[in-house]
Amino acid sequence: MNILSQDIKYLQGVGPNRALLLANELGIKTVGDLLAYYPYKYVDRSRIYQIREIDGTMPYVQLCGQIFSFDTIGEGRNKRLIAHFTDGTGSIDLVWFQGIKYAAKNYDCRKDYIVFGKPTVFNGKIQIAHPEIETQAPLLSPQGGMNHPDGTPPPWGRLGGGSSFRPSYNTSEKMKRSGLNSGAIAKLTANMFKLLKEPLPETLPPYIVQQHHLMAYDDAVRNIHYPTSPDALRHAQLRLKFEELFYVQLNILRYVKDRQLRYKGIVFNTIGEYFNGFFYHHLPFQLTEAQKRVIREIRADMKSGKQMNRLLQGDVGSGKTLVALMVALIAIDNGCQACIMAPTEILAEQHLATLRDLLGDLPVRVELLTGTIKGKKRTAIFEGLVTGDIHILVGTHAVIEDNVLFDKLGLVIIDEQHRFGVAQRAKLWMKNAVPPHVLVMTATPIPRTLAMTLYGDLDVSIIDELPPGRKPIRTVHMFDAHRQRIYQLMNRELDLGRQIYIVYPLIKETEKLDLKDLEAGFEEIQRAFPNHKVGKVHGKMKPADKDAEMQRFANHETHILVSTTVIEVGVNVPNASVMIIENAERFGLSQLHQLRGRVGRGADQSYCVLVTKFEIGETTRKRIQVMVDTTDGFEIAEQDLKLRGPGDLEGTQQSGMAFDLKIANLARDGQILNIAREAAQDVITSDPEERNPQNDILWRRLRELRKSNINWGAIS
Ligand code: ADP
Ligand code: MG
């Protein structure tokens, strides 16, 4: 049996209890899983510091000495264990807030320890909280010589041929409490490499390894855990990142190829009376050049005989709805139905209203289907769909339910689809004998690297132009204390007849508390603006009440709308010119951008005020500054990716193709990603039938990866 598929519990140092922890906390079930559990950083352990050199500004340090006494202070949650530690040049405190029992039991006075951690200053005294402690002597003694008191070299010495880099592994609090900390994992990986005497087989074909000058797989995994030198570490990282991204791309591109082979597309070759009737008689304004271009791109797809799978990116307010309608009309001209999906009921209803408004007296039947439409109404819609009387169905996720059947569904448009992945899209295809064309629209610009992975199966069209006459929104950052200035701005705009949004954050866990903020804000605003009507919407309201309130604002019956993020996407009230975002620090960048996009939709100068408390952290300050500096959604998306990392970006978790990258980082590894995608495309193009024996290893590996990663498997 392959060592890598061996159960982790049989690895020296694991056993049943730890095996359970490793599986539950880190998903490590086999030796191979442990091999692929890479360190998140490396620490140069070649240097032992003396305590008298230490101050609170240093990064991680390594000390060598003894504990001379223990103290426990505080009670209950404030209980702490303190070990007073000395090396003869001075003393510091080692502190535990958690795992106190374990520490008290496992460490003794007057024993030689290597202590490792980050010194901080607390009450004027230097301390290290939750240090890593080892009985083993250090690689290098303070005198600089090798020092192996028990006769066996430490694992990082054995493998690294004298390397002083120690791996640090992430572990959970729960694991740490049971002593399964980074050091303990390092012992396990060291034990693992004792087992892996034979070189591990290559996981990429030799020709790809050579072409891209990659380190051999065996070298790479050994060096990623126990680097022999900084240079070797870099090569190991490069190799493993390339490989990871390569297989992700190979998976996507192979899926695209299969999809193209398997499914034909409905051919839309007619531009008929629906499209022309609208274009010549109902189009309320000239299309922007960008709108024209993307309509051409979409049209070319739809008459190609292949199924369209296209992503339409266009910043907020760039006019995607109009594009959606016009391509839907092409579908109708070709005897097909179209379906437009929105993420929320409010948006779906708004789309319905917008479309009906734009269509005027054209004989196009547009209907709405959401979860709240029930009974007779629902049955009537089902009927209209099956008979083909309904041309365009607008709705929420309700439209993809299995019992929603169409006469001939030719086009599906998915608007603001962060929550809609590959697997869900694929579900739509069953709705017609030949799968409908699919257009995915988003105003949340996605950084290119992310788009290539999350939506790597889609062709991309971009609306990079706003309708004429729009003035860029002016964004300012103000503190709570600036209330009067904010009111001044509000009064000025209200006097000009404009309307204002005020948005409060709403986080699920504390929904009550936040609603209190919103209620308080609502009352304060009513008091401060007695001559104006103030409306209020939040997610806890009944949909009908919410809609009525939104409608009042849209009709200009209310002047100020106090709300939670329910207005985040898509809501369109062109007369609104001020967006005030309270506790702006609590929002992500893409969310702020979306919210800001609710204003600036008319020809007037619009404003966005980001309100925060005075004390905010560095990252928050940067985030707010990005918003103040630019209104370019793509720029904001890139900055967001940099500041937060891809894991937190909206859409990554929910998307069907979301996966954890183990080593590559989409914020930093764009170049590697490009090369990896090209390499994967080369394989697909040069060996479409998968007959080249050189590539056998690739398909085998891809099958393994798809088996072990649920999300990969979900895409086809
Ligand atoms: P989004 O791309 O954010 O979905 P919308 O489709 O809601 O944007 O359009 C924003 C606003 O711009 C709407 O009021 C719409 O009527 C208007 N609009 C769209 N296209 C044009 C155009 N070519 N010229 C002028 N206004 C336009
Ligand atoms: Mg929209």
Side-chain angles (χ1 to χ4, degrees), residues 105-319:
K105 201 175 95 200
N106 280 273
Y107 305 123
D108 304 316
C109 291
R110 317 250 168 262
K111 232 180 161 174
D112 283 326
Y113 287 123
I114 303 296
V115 166
F116 175 74
K118 183 171 171 18
T120 51
V121 180
F122 185 74
N123 281 344
K125 187 143 191 355
I126 293 176
Q127 63 174 37
I128 296 181
H130 292 168
E132 282 176 33
I133 298 188
E134 279 165 22
T135 32
Q136 256 163 328
L139 188 61
L140 295 171
S141 70
Q143 295 78 38
M146 294 295 272
N147 184 358
H148 304 309
D150 59 357
T152 53
W156 53 95
R158 184 203 321 275
L159 275 147
S163 159
S164 55
F165 285 96
R166 292 281 321 268
S168 292
Y169 298 93
N170 274 317
T171 64
S172 68
E173 276 312 318
K174 199 164 167 194
M175 294 174 70
K176 283 186 193 120
R177 279 201 294 278
S178 319
L180 207 49
N181 57 12
S182 170
I185 304 265
K187 284 198 189 115
L188 298 184
T189 53
N191 291 343
M192 169 182 69
F193 281 117
K194 274 191 238 160
L195 284 179
L196 301 176
K197 288 190 196 85
E198 299 291 310
L200 291 158
E202 241 329 308
T203 47
L204 286 170
Y207 78 93
I208 291 184
V209 173
Q210 271 161 25
Q211 193 183 339
H212 297 280
H213 310 287
L214 300 172
M215 189 183 236
Y217 179 69
D218 182 68
D219 272 353
V221 285
R222 287 174 201 268
N223 271 290
I224 206 75
H225 289 278
Y226 295 101
T228 50
S229 69
D231 207 42
L233 176 59
R234 265 195 303 280
H235 276 97
Q237 285 170 330
L238 180 67
R239 148 82 203 214
L240 295 172
K241 285 176 176 186
F242 175 91
E243 173 167 350
E244 182 167 49
L245 295 170
F246 173 83
Y247 276 109
V248 169
Q249 292 301 324
L250 190 67
N251 192 42
I252 295 171
L253 294 170
R254 183 173 185 253
Y255 165 78
V256 171
K257 184 202 71 186
D258 279 356
R259 187 174 65 193
Q260 285 172 354
L261 284 178
R262 214 179 308 167
Y263 302 106
K264 287 210 183 66
I266 311 165
V267 182
F268 290 172
N269 44 26
T270 315
I271 293 289
E273 53 189 304
Y274 288 103
F275 184 92
N276 286 329
F278 178 77
F279 187 74
Y280 292 110
H281 305 296
H282 290 79
L283 192 62
F285 20 62
Q286 283 232 313
L287 295 175
T288 63
E289 287 308 313
Q291 281 171 321
K292 285 185 206 161
R293 189 188 65 239
V294 304
I295 291 174
R296 275 199 301 273
E297 286 167 359
I298 293 166
R299 235 207 105 192
D301 280 358
M302 297 196 305
K303 65 176 178 190
S304 70
K306 288 187 194 148
Q307 183 203 17
M308 171 169 77
N309 279 280
R310 190 168 278 277
L311 174 68
L312 174 57
Q313 291 200 56
D315 219 335
V316 277
S318 60

Side-chain angles (χ1 to χ4, degrees), residues 87-106:
D87 66 353
T89 71
S91 75
I92 65 162
D93 288 346
L94 311 178
V95 186
W96 286 267
F97 304 94
Q98 263 150 1
I100 291 181
K101 260 198 208 141
Y102 177 86
K105 201 175 95 200
N106 280 273

Side-chain angles (χ1 to χ4, degrees), residues 338-402:
C339 167
I340 302 180
M341 275 177 62
T344 64
E345 298 209 358
I346 291 192
L347 265 188
E349 283 163 29
Q350 189 183 294
H351 274 327
L352 176 78
T354 309
L355 296 188
R356 284 190 173 159
D357 191 42
L358 283 166
L359 287 164
D361 58 5
L362 277 175
V364 177
R365 184 166 164 208
V366 191
E367 294 292 345
L368 178 74
L369 183 65
T370 65
T372 50
I373 292 173
K374 299 228 159 78
K376 274 202 195 123
K377 243 177 149 181
R378 199 174 183 83
T379 321
I381 288 173
F382 282 8
E383 262 174 40
L385 288 172
V386 176
T387 57
D389 286 350
I390 297 176
H391 297 102
I392 301 178
L393 180 69
V394 179
T396 53
H397 280 56
V399 302
I400 59 163
E401 282 166 23
D402 291 337

Side-chain angles (χ1 to χ4, degrees), residues 320-321 347 351 415-416 441 443 570 601:
K320 293 185 294 295
T321 317
L347 265 188
H351 274 327
D415 193 18
E416 304 298 350
M441 306 199 297
R601 310 195 130 233

Side-chain angles (χ1 to χ4, degrees), residues 252 254-266 306-310 339 341 399-402 404-414 420-440 457-458 657 714-716:
I252 295 171
R254 183 173 185 253
Y255 165 78
V256 171
K257 184 202 71 186
D258 279 356
R259 187 174 65 193
Q260 285 172 354
L261 284 178
R262 214 179 308 167
Y263 302 106
K264 287 210 183 66
I266 311 165
K306 288 187 194 148
Q307 183 203 17
M308 171 169 77
N309 279 280
R310 190 168 278 277
C339 167
M341 275 177 62
V399 302
I400 59 163
E401 282 166 23
D402 291 337
V404 183
L405 302 172
F406 291 80
D407 173 35
K408 194 171 180 202
L409 181 63
L411 170 69
V412 177
I413 297 172
I414 304 163
F420 215 71
V422 185
Q424 285 141 307
R425 270 185 266 138
K427 209 173 156 186
L428 291 164
W429 304 357
M430 307 308 143
K431 300 234 170 258
N432 200 53
V434 180
H437 296 294
V438 176
L439 181 67
V440 172
D457 66 313
L458 302 176
M657 218 187 286
I715 75 161
S716 62

